[in-house]
Amino acid sequence: METGNVTTPFGRRSMTLGMLANQVMAGEIKPDQSVDKWKLFRALCEAKPLLGIGDRALAVLNALLSFYPKNELAQENGLIVFPSNVQLSLRTHGMAEQTVRRHLAALVEAGLLLRKDSPNGKRYVRRDRAGEVDEAFGFSLAPLLARAEEIEQLAAEVMAERLHVQRLRERITLCRRDIAKLIEAAVEEEIPGDWQGLYREFRDLIEGLPRSPTTSQLELLLDELTALRTDILNRLEIRVKSTKQRGNADYFERHIQNSNPESTSELEPGFETKQGAIAEQDNDRGAVTLEKGRGEAAHPGGQKEEEQSRRPDVRNDGGGLKSFPLGLVLQACPEILAYGPDGVIRNWRDLMAAAVIVRSMLGVSPSAYEEAANVMGPENAATVMACILERGGHINSAGGYLRGLTRRSEKGEFAIGPMLMALLRANAPPGRKVG
């Protein structure tokens, strides 16, 4: 049985006040105090960050507890275990004896074990004539019993903190999703506003978070993302309210005017689009000629009706696709800039001319590009060609890919917005990309 006397370590190991304090604490265990050793071990596994112990030290402690004959740690059952390092190595699945000794020292340092060394430093037990333990030398589990309530409380704190962090991360994920989709919807609906600036602010917040953030950093990020989401929602709500006030008739009229093939781009006031212009490129000389397909000024008399009868699949509404600002297209697809006149794209006409060059370079047939222009509209077809150029390394057949998008556009199953937003994220500066 345990005598309760203060013992000093064997050999060169020195005595410290911490060891003395642990022995005094272990001597204050109540006679009827007991705890389930495996339940306490699970609490130790939860509380290990606050106790300063690692996984391998816990593996050694698990082996020591397996040598304790009872499930209940109690002073009346004795609290000394005395396995050799060889036995501990076997119970820790072959851990090296030197490593076992190091982790035993760490457990003593953390105040979870006490050494009760024999005169020669060996671990053994003396029994009386009845076979009961008279005196044992080894490791005392008394600190575990004495600190059982403290360990369980620490485990509860760690679990509560982990649950709090988990909920913070869930709320941050929801905020991130809301902000990204709201900005994407605003861009697709062509709602006025500095959406690119808001998106950059959003990315800066996300990328400013460390790889292993603290709870306070997560709380701060959640507050900032919530404020940004509220700002975006307010802008969109103002737009929705103003649309309702104008009435449905005015709202539909505005969309019909914006989809007018002869209308000019809001961002390029000096450029008059000529929808239906069919771009053809001479493969030998690279010369570009524009054949006017639907403009009344270029087709006197009944030529317009004749052209439409020859191409019944021409759709003046651009296939229902929405055009996007030229600046956004160039930011998402910067590679197309090199193919513009003098390496510059100033307006939609320059972009469509560059798209014709890119079409020939990527091996897209004139008929495939003409069909895309007829279905999507020339501006949208040029935008799609710029996107294909940007993703050229991931597309095996540019012509087949374009025809597939054209068919999807005819069925109303294709939208350019998600493609542009994905490229916008991919082409963000390296310091702003999320790993």
Side-chain angles (χ1 to χ4, degrees), residues 268 326-348 350-355 357-358 361 382-383 385-387 389-390 427:
E268 302 291 336
L326 179 61
L328 178 65
V329 175
L330 297 180
Q331 185 176 356
C333 309
E335 290 191 17
I336 195 71
L337 290 169
Y339 300 92
D342 300 324
V344 178
I345 294 179
R346 302 176 182 85
N347 48 43
W348 283 105
D350 291 347
L351 179 64
M352 288 188 283
I357 298 175
V358 169
M361 182 187 71
T383 300
M385 187 57 62
C387 294
L389 174 65
E390 202 69 28
N427 290 327

Side-chain angles (χ1 to χ4, degrees), residues 43-114:
L44 276 168
C45 292
E46 293 287 353
K48 65 179 182 180
L50 301 181
L51 293 171
I53 54 175
D55 295 338
R56 306 202 77 185
L58 284 173
V60 174
L61 181 58
N62 180 78
L64 281 173
L65 289 174
S66 68
F67 284 100
Y68 189 77
K70 305 288 185 179
N71 281 333
E72 293 286 326
L73 286 178
Q75 194 163 3
E76 63 181 11
N77 297 330
L79 295 170
I80 303 293
V81 289
F82 38 87
S84 66
N85 287 340
V86 174
Q87 292 173 317
L88 285 174
S89 177
L90 292 174
R91 296 263 178 119
T92 53
H93 307 286
M95 186 183 294
E97 291 185 35
Q98 184 178 0
T99 305
V100 169
R101 286 194 293 270
R102 186 171 68 252
H103 291 301
L104 286 171
L107 291 169
V108 173
E109 183 72 20
L112 300 176
L113 290 180
L114 283 178

Side-chain angles (χ1 to χ4, degrees), residues 277-315:
I278 303 169
E280 295 182 353
Q281 179 178 9
D282 186 85
N283 292 329
D284 297 329
R285 298 169 52 195
V288 178
T289 62
L290 297 177
E291 177 188 358
K292 299 177 181 178
R294 291 196 298 272
E296 292 183 357
H299 297 277
Q303 189 173 357
K304 176 180 177 182
E305 287 77 7
E306 181 182 355
E307 286 292 325
Q308 290 183 344
S309 64
R310 281 184 293 153
R311 280 194 295 270
D313 60 332
V314 173
R315 298 175 61 177

Side-chain angles (χ1 to χ4, degrees), residues 352-366:
M352 288 188 283
V356 173
I357 298 175
V358 169
R359 174 204 55 82
S360 176
M361 182 187 71
L362 295 180
V364 178
S365 66

Side-chain angles (χ1 to χ4, degrees), residues 202-413:
F202 167 57
R203 299 311 307 172
D204 288 341
L205 289 176
I206 297 301
E207 290 150 13
L209 192 68
R211 184 176 294 273
S212 300
T214 63
T215 303
S216 59
Q217 289 172 329
L218 289 174
E219 291 172 343
L220 178 61
L221 176 62
L222 178 60
D223 291 341
E224 293 174 334
L225 288 177
T226 302
L228 181 59
R229 180 177 61 181
T230 302
D231 181 26
I232 294 172
L233 283 173
N234 289 338
R235 295 173 186 239
L236 295 178
E237 287 176 1
I238 292 173
R239 179 68 176 181
V240 170
K241 291 178 181 178
S242 63
T243 301
K244 288 182 178 180
Q245 291 174 356
R246 287 196 301 269
N248 291 336
D250 179 67
Y251 178 74
F252 290 133
E253 181 182 358
R254 177 179 62 82
H255 278 278
I256 292 172
Q257 289 174 355
N258 286 344
S259 62
N260 187 351
E262 302 300 328
S263 66
T264 59
S265 173
E266 294 180 359
L267 295 183
E268 302 291 336
F271 169 57
E272 295 183 0
T273 59
K274 297 183 179 179
Q275 304 288 342
I278 303 169
E280 295 182 353
Q281 179 178 9
D282 186 85
N283 292 329
D284 297 329
R285 298 169 52 195
V288 178
T289 62
L290 297 177
E291 177 188 358
K292 299 177 181 178
R294 291 196 298 272
E296 292 183 357
H299 297 277
Q303 189 173 357
K304 176 180 177 182
E305 287 77 7
E306 181 182 355
E307 286 292 325
Q308 290 183 344
S309 64
R310 281 184 293 153
R311 280 194 295 270
D313 60 332
V314 173
R315 298 175 61 177
N316 293 334
D317 60 355
L321 291 181
K322 298 177 182 177
S323 299
F324 289 83
L326 179 61
L328 178 65
V329 175
L330 297 180
Q331 185 176 356
C333 309
E335 290 191 17
I336 195 71
L337 290 169
Y339 300 92
D342 300 324
V344 178
I345 294 179
R346 302 176 182 85
N347 48 43
W348 283 105
R349 181 176 297 157
D350 291 347
L351 179 64
M352 288 188 283
V356 173
I357 298 175
V358 169
R359 174 204 55 82
S360 176
M361 182 187 71
L362 295 180
V364 178
S365 66
S367 61
Y369 187 69
E370 178 182 341
E371 183 182 3
N374 291 337
V375 173
M376 303 179 187
E379 293 181 0
N380 287 331
T383 300
V384 171
M385 187 57 62
C387 294
I388 293 176
L389 174 65
E390 202 69 28
R391 299 185 66 243
H394 305 282
I395 299 174
N396 294 329
S397 173
Y401 187 74
L402 180 61
R403 288 188 184 276
L405 295 182
T406 303
R407 287 192 295 270
R408 289 176 56 193
S409 181
E410 285 180 320
K411 298 176 182 179
E413 299 175 351

Side-chain angles (χ1 to χ4, degrees), residues 167-185 198-199 201-211 213 218 220-230 232-233 421 425 432-435:
R167 290 177 177 173
L168 282 175
R169 290 184 178 275
E170 289 174 352
R171 293 173 64 187
I172 288 173
T173 299
L174 291 175
C175 270
R176 290 180 60 177
R177 185 181 69 192
D178 292 346
I179 292 171
K181 289 186 178 292
L182 288 172
I183 292 177
E184 182 177 344
L198 289 172
Y199 183 77
E201 180 182 351
F202 167 57
R203 299 311 307 172
D204 288 341
L205 289 176
I206 297 301
E207 290 150 13
L209 192 68
R211 184 176 294 273
L218 289 174
L220 178 61
L221 176 62
L222 178 60
D223 291 341
E224 293 174 334
L225 288 177
T226 302
L228 181 59
R229 180 177 61 181
T230 302
I232 294 172
L233 283 173
M421 294 302 292
R425 288 192 291 268
R432 293 184 174 177
K433 289 186 179 180
V434 178

